[in-house]
Amino acid sequence: MGVSGCGKTTIGKQLSAVLKIPFFDGDDFHSEANVTKMASGTPLTDEDRLPWLASINTFAKQQASSVIIACSALKKKYRSCLSQDVHSRFIWLDGSFELIHKRMKSRDPHFMPPALLQSQFDTLEISAECVPINIDQSTEKITTEIVKAINKKDIGIIGMGVMGKNLARNMARKGLAVSLYNRRVEGKEENIAADIAQQYPEFESAAAFEDLPAFVESLAIPRKILIMVPAGAAVNQVIDQLKTTCQKGDVIIDGGNSFFRDTETRYTALQKLGIEFVGVGVSGGEAGALDGPAIMPACSEEAYAQVGPILEHIAAKNSLGQICCQHIGTGGSGHFVKMIHNGIEYAEMQIIAETYDILKATGKNNLDIAAVFDSWLAEQGYGSYLLEITTKILRTKDEEGYILDRILDQASNKGTGARTSIEGIQLGIPFNIISSALHARFMSSVKAQRQKVNAQFNTTINKFSIDLHNLKEAYHSARLLNHIQGFEYLKAAARQYKWELDLSTIAQIWTGGCIIRSDMMFEMRELLQQTDNIILDDSITLQLIQTKEQLVQVCTKAIQAELPIPTLTACLNYLHGITQARSSANLIQAQRDFFGAHTYKLTEDPTGPSHHTNWETL
Ligand code: 6PG
């Protein structure tokens, strides 16, 4: 790329000979009208150029392997057009007006007259993706520098754990040139990146490192580096090391489950160094990382222009072909949204677990339960990744029988659900459904105590029957309430942290690739385009009214059978709570005022003065 006269065709042909990659001159794609216009000394407009650029992009997309194309590509939006769905590298032949003007006057006849050179310089916009090559040197030296530059990798991935490795494999499979890095810990982690590069054919042209400066040096400028190491101190350590080698304009991406406040701090600190920081929520586990995760990136517009195309390129697409990666916002909002994803996930998992428990208590075995869930999955609106994997789990046997029946009933967690609960407390919003699922895991962790108390109380679950239709409706209602609460939580956070969160976009990201992908999430995406108060939407109100009785009946039967159903009842309590116009909180206020003189408002004057009553003297 570069202004007319900078030597694109000459260098392009030289490069083609050296790299044995076909060369094409972008000028050959101009329409007759454009050529005539330029020959008449009239500069082209955007309207003239965009169809020309689109024709070059179409040509590039049709190529089965790399090509070299000479094209002025003067503006950032021109380069965006050229690189649409094409993995591209922009080599900018950089020279002074004087040098180029002199060359233009001595070159073979060309439809671009020297008089237009100034308009080219006036139009030229250089941005981070332009790799500068000084043209005030021999074509051989220019070509050598370019070869060196294009052998740089598009993106580097630090941390060859399951997620880092699979994201790197995903990128390599999509045609990106990657550098892999894993630290060296004598006796524990040695040659990890090199071994992985050897292991997978998609890494044929990948570079592998244990030396971080060499890894950084291997990357095309502006460097894009994805950190996939455990959240917390490890991320800080890596960033501190990168600070010494990265430069202004480089982009560091954290794709782990980092705490959003940590991301905010890192974002601010790196911005001061001119280094872009992208906090990315990645969902979909091992398989998602490899085949297409849901990606929730937060960063500046400039940083997204650099890494957004790569993240969108490797992200999942939902069943409508929509990409499950969109620019969420800035700072820690990407990691925050991922945290809420995990909060909703915990509750979704617990709702299924309690439903499984109820079905077991009615005497059904794993195969029966799997059959019930399969019948639900066959219904529009009930499809969900978590329910699908549950039916597979229920049916999985080995020589000793059902694996599920041998798994210790103590659920652990890596902390994302806990953080969602802590933040919910900070925000002071209803999030009882998510927290009930977290507490269910905590309850499961006191297994020894549960066994003792069970013996002490001689507790048995009384077998009971349940109407399967009611159970299905109760299950659906609980899930709906979980989603409603989850999006209400996001709204409260957006207000608190002044994030411009587009809830429909977030729902779209969650319709593919992630753990909570489901038919219901598509419904959320549609709804959130019309309203951000889901429960007041008539169709949702109707669904909740029509299934409330079933939720009550299922909870009642399970409670009578002494079956713990913390999340199903949390959903029902949320529904009862959010639909109760007048609650018993007036008594709480009175008690607080009685013993602490904390005062209270009056119902008929909620924004008026606070009142105190001397309860003892009246
Ligand atoms: C995802 C998952 C993932 C999660 C692990 C462990 O979206 O891919 O949510 O990010 O961290 O599955 O989660 P817990 O240990 O907190 O259950």
Side-chain angles (χ1 to χ4, degrees):
M1 62 162 282
V3 298
S4 181
C6 67
K8 296 187 289 293
T9 302
T10 309
I11 296 301
K13 287 178 177 171
Q14 175 97 356
L15 202 55
S16 172
V18 169
L19 295 176
K20 296 184 177 35
I21 295 177
F23 168 77
F24 299 92
D25 196 326
D27 284 348
D28 297 340
F29 292 76
H30 270 303
S31 63
E32 273 307 306
N34 280 0
V35 174
T36 308
K37 191 169 184 179
M38 285 186 284
S40 70
T42 313
L44 296 182
T45 63
D46 284 356
E47 289 66 35
D48 299 328
R49 289 193 176 108
L50 289 174
W52 165 57
L53 297 163
S55 66
I56 295 174
N57 172 258
T58 302
F59 171 77
K61 279 191 281 198
Q62 290 160 348
Q63 303 316 302
S65 58
S66 299
V67 293
I68 298 166
I69 299 176
C71 175
S72 50
L74 298 174
K75 287 184 178 177
K76 183 160 183 49
K77 66 180 176 184
Y78 296 172
R79 295 188 288 274
S80 300
C81 177
L82 288 166
S83 54
Q84 185 74 32
D85 294 333
V86 167
H87 161 54
S88 56
R89 181 69 51 75
F90 288 94
I91 303 298
W92 169 36
L93 300 185
D94 177 16
S96 68
F97 178 89
E98 292 68 28
L99 174 66
I100 295 173
H101 193 256
K102 195 169 110 190
R103 286 184 182 177
M104 276 181 98
K105 285 193 289 193
S106 60
R107 75 176 173 180
D108 300 342
H110 186 279
F111 55 70
M112 173 68 76
L116 280 184
L117 182 59
Q118 189 53 54
S119 74
Q120 294 260 305
F121 271 94
D122 296 344
T123 308
L124 182 62
E125 295 167 4
I126 293 305
S127 43
E129 73 277 7
C130 307
V131 179
I133 302 289
N134 176 12
I135 61 170
D136 195 3
Q137 52 185 332
S138 70
T139 48
E140 288 69 26
K141 279 190 178 172
I142 292 170
T143 307
T144 305
E145 266 192 43
I146 292 173
V147 170
K148 197 175 160 212
I150 57 178
N151 282 336
K152 299 284 187 184
K153 304 303 182 189
D154 300 308
I155 187 166
I157 300 93
I158 294 177
M160 289 293 108
V162 165
M163 293 297 284
K165 177 185 73 177
N166 278 1
L167 284 169
R169 290 182 62 196
N170 183 341
M171 291 173 181
R173 286 179 176 182
K174 298 281 174 63
L176 289 160
V178 298
S179 284
L180 313 176
Y181 170 87
N182 200 91
R183 67 182 180 177
R184 181 179 185 86
V185 179
E186 295 302 330
K188 285 186 183 169
E189 296 180 51
E190 296 179 0
N191 303 314
I192 302 289
D195 291 348
I196 284 173
Q198 288 297 321
Q199 188 179 350
Y200 298 99
E202 58 264 40
F203 286 144
E204 184 189 2
S205 58
F209 299 89
E210 281 187 335
D211 176 87
L212 198 63
F215 162 80
V216 172
E217 182 54 34
S218 76
L219 302 175
I221 291 172
R223 301 182 186 94
K224 304 168 187 73
I225 298 170
L226 172 63
I227 300 173
M228 291 303 291
V229 299
V235 174
N236 286 332
Q237 281 161 11
V238 171
I239 291 176
D240 287 344
Q241 290 172 301
L242 289 174
K243 277 178 187 172
T244 58
T245 45
C246 284
Q247 63 191 48
K248 190 172 167 23
D250 287 349
V251 184
I252 297 175
I253 307 162
D254 174 11
N257 272 333
S258 290
F259 183 41
F260 83 102
R261 292 189 196 283
D262 293 342
T263 303
E264 293 274 347
T265 305
R266 293 163 184 154
Y267 182 89
T268 306
L270 288 167
Q271 286 280 323
K272 289 181 184 143
L273 301 173
I275 296 173
E276 294 286 0
F277 187 64
V278 187
V280 177
V282 178
S283 177
E286 184 178 352
L290 182 60
D291 300 324
I295 304 179
M296 295 146 258
C299 56
S300 68
E301 291 294 341
E302 293 74 20
Y304 196 77
Q306 287 302 318
V307 300
I310 291 178
L311 297 176
E312 291 176 16
H313 198 40
I314 65 165
K317 285 191 172 70
N318 67 19
S319 54
L320 301 177
Q322 293 160 330
I323 296 173
C324 297
C325 171
Q326 301 281 332
H327 190 189
I328 290 276
T330 55
S333 57
H335 277 136
F336 189 95
V337 167
K338 172 57 169 69
M339 183 183 78
I340 302 303
H341 166 279
N342 279 38
I344 295 171
E345 171 192 299
Y346 274 44
E348 286 285 279
M349 293 165 72
Q350 184 62 26
I351 290 168
I352 293 173
E354 291 173 17
T355 308
Y356 153 74
D357 226 359
I358 288 169
L359 286 166
K360 269 199 310 183
T362 65
K364 290 191 180 305
N365 65 28
N366 292 355
L367 283 184
D368 298 336
I369 297 169
V372 170
F373 286 163
D374 268 339
S375 68
W376 295 0
L377 284 168
E379 285 193 41
Q380 176 51 38
Y382 283 80
S384 95
Y385 167 75
L386 281 169
L387 195 60
E388 276 171 26
I389 67 168
T390 300
T391 59
K392 290 176 188 152
I393 289 164
L394 283 160
R395 292 194 167 100
T396 302
K397 295 171 76 168
D398 61 14
E399 60 287 345
E400 294 174 53
Y402 291 104
I403 296 176
L404 176 62
D405 296 343
R406 302 202 303 272
I407 293 176
L408 177 64
D409 59 315
Q410 284 188 228
S412 59
N413 78 90
K414 287 184 184 167
T416 48
R419 284 195 200 128
T420 311
S421 297
I422 292 164
E423 284 309 307
I425 289 167
Q426 304 269 10
L427 288 169
I429 52 160
F431 68 99
N432 67 310
I433 297 173
I434 291 172
S435 63
S436 73
L438 178 68
H439 282 110
R441 295 199 187 188
F442 295 159
M443 177 60 83
S444 77
S445 66
V446 293
K447 169 81 175 174
Q449 175 70 348
R450 287 191 283 120
Q451 286 170 309
K452 287 178 197 154
V453 176
N454 171 271
Q456 173 73 6
F457 280 64
N458 191 25
T459 308
T460 55
I461 302 297
N462 312 318
K463 194 170 174 185
F464 62 98
S465 66
I466 199 145
D467 177 299
L468 287 181
H469 173 76
N470 286 352
L471 183 60
K472 182 186 72 170
E473 300 285 276
Y475 164 77
H476 188 76
S477 172
R479 290 192 62 223
L480 194 46
L481 290 159
N482 177 32
H483 283 69
I484 289 166
Q485 195 173 83
F487 282 105
E488 282 298 310
Y489 192 140
L490 282 172
K491 266 166 62 178
R495 278 194 302 272
Q496 175 71 22
Y497 301 117
K498 297 179 177 48
W499 290 326
E500 297 288 319
L501 295 184
D502 181 325
L503 298 182
S504 180
T505 295
I506 291 168
Q508 174 174 314
I509 293 173
W510 291 347
T511 53
C514 69
I515 303 295
I516 61 173
R517 60 188 188 263
S518 72
D519 292 352
M520 185 177 283
M521 197 56 79
F522 277 95
E523 190 181 351
M524 293 294 117
R525 175 184 163 273
E526 291 290 321
L527 270 174
L528 289 162
Q529 286 175 337
Q530 314 306 328
T531 173
D532 68 354
N533 203 337
I534 299 171
I535 198 165
L536 295 184
D537 174 87
D538 292 341
S539 69
I540 297 297
T541 303
L542 188 61
Q543 282 185 59
L544 290 172
I545 290 172
Q546 287 177 337
T547 55
K548 181 164 65 170
E549 192 41 45
Q550 289 88 324
L551 186 54
V552 169
Q553 194 251 6
V554 164
C555 288
T556 305
K557 285 210 150 196
I559 288 165
Q560 284 167 342
E562 298 187 41
L563 198 61
I565 48 167
T567 298
L568 285 172
T569 46
C571 293
L572 182 57
N573 279 318
Y574 176 65
L575 179 60
H576 285 157
I578 204 73
T579 50
Q580 185 187 38
R582 176 130 179 94
S583 71
S584 58
N586 56 326
L587 180 56
I588 300 297
Q589 286 295 81
Q591 292 163 340
R592 291 179 69 246
D593 189 52
F594 188 106
F595 60 67
H598 292 300
T599 73
Y600 54 85
K601 302 281 189 183
L602 292 174
T603 306
E604 70 265 15
D605 187 11
T607 58
S610 296
H611 300 267
H612 169 62
T613 297
N614 290 315
W615 300 91
E616 303 273 14
T617 56
L618 283 183

